[in-house]
Amino acid sequence: MSAKEIIEAVVLVMVTIGTLMNLLSSLGFIRLPDVYNRSHAVTKSVTLGILFILLGTFIHFLFVDDYFSVRLLLGIVFVFLTAPVTGHLIVRSAYRFGVKLSDTSIKDELAEDLERAKKKEARTEGT
């Protein structure tokens, strides 16, 4: 087996893993009960899936075609930084607009944190 064939096999495995992660994410989006759980599934696994696909593509271009793609590196960095932040902002705004948790949810930790922050703010204003 030549080095080129090994690199192509590694690229194939990485792209396949990325594709499977995206498939699992879509199943989680369909099956999970509320916007909070769905956002968690989509944000985590799609980010990882896209990173695997882009990294596999980068490795392919670098070692098989001898082409260093700055665009792919920027895409990897951009997805890695923006996808989790976007998911967090969507969930936070859904919570602020009063989207209810599913009936199977056990604990609302954000409500407790917001209540503590209000109490702390009230004590600070009182002094």
Side-chain angles (χ1 to χ4, degrees), residues 1-25:
M1 225 176 173
S2 70
K4 185 176 179 181
E5 290 174 342
I6 292 172
I7 291 169
E8 287 179 352
V10 168
V11 168
L12 177 68
V13 168
M14 290 183 78
V15 170
T16 303
I17 289 172
T19 305
L20 290 174
M21 291 295 293
N22 288 339
L23 175 67
L24 288 174
S25 176

Side-chain angles (χ1 to χ4, degrees), residues 106-122:
I106 298 171
K107 189 174 183 181
D108 185 3
E109 293 181 6
L110 185 57
E112 296 169 6
D113 290 343
L114 291 175
E115 187 64 35
R116 267 187 257 130
K118 283 182 185 179
K119 288 179 183 177
K120 184 178 180 181
E121 185 178 320

Side-chain angles (χ1 to χ4, degrees), residues 86-106:
T86 305
H88 177 77
L89 290 175
I90 289 171
V91 168
R92 193 79 167 192
S93 64
Y95 190 85
R96 297 273 182 177
F97 279 102
V99 177
K100 299 292 181 197
L101 294 168
S102 73
D103 295 334
T104 59
S105 295
I106 298 171

Side-chain angles (χ1 to χ4, degrees), residues 5-115:
E5 290 174 342
I6 292 172
I7 291 169
E8 287 179 352
V10 168
V11 168
L12 177 68
V13 168
M14 290 183 78
V15 170
T16 303
I17 289 172
T19 305
L20 290 174
M21 291 295 293
N22 288 339
L23 175 67
L24 288 174
S25 176
S26 65
L27 293 175
F29 183 74
I30 293 169
R31 302 258 320 164
L32 292 173
D34 61 4
V35 68
Y36 308 106
N37 292 321
R38 289 177 183 168
S39 176
H40 179 76
V42 170
T43 302
K44 303 286 184 188
S45 58
V46 165
T47 302
L48 188 60
I50 289 173
L51 290 177
F52 266 112
I53 292 170
L54 289 177
L55 190 60
T57 307
F58 177 77
I59 291 171
H60 172 76
F61 283 134
L62 185 62
F63 293 111
V64 175
D65 293 342
D66 294 326
Y67 177 72
F68 184 82
S69 177
V70 176
R71 290 180 184 169
L72 279 172
L73 281 180
L74 289 174
I76 290 168
V77 170
F78 183 75
V79 168
F80 185 72
L81 292 176
T82 59
V85 173
T86 305
H88 177 77
L89 290 175
I90 289 171
V91 168
R92 193 79 167 192
S93 64
Y95 190 85
R96 297 273 182 177
F97 279 102
V99 177
K100 299 292 181 197
L101 294 168
S102 73
D103 295 334
T104 59
S105 295
I106 298 171
K107 189 174 183 181
D108 185 3
E109 293 181 6
L110 185 57
E112 296 169 6
D113 290 343
L114 291 175
E115 187 64 35

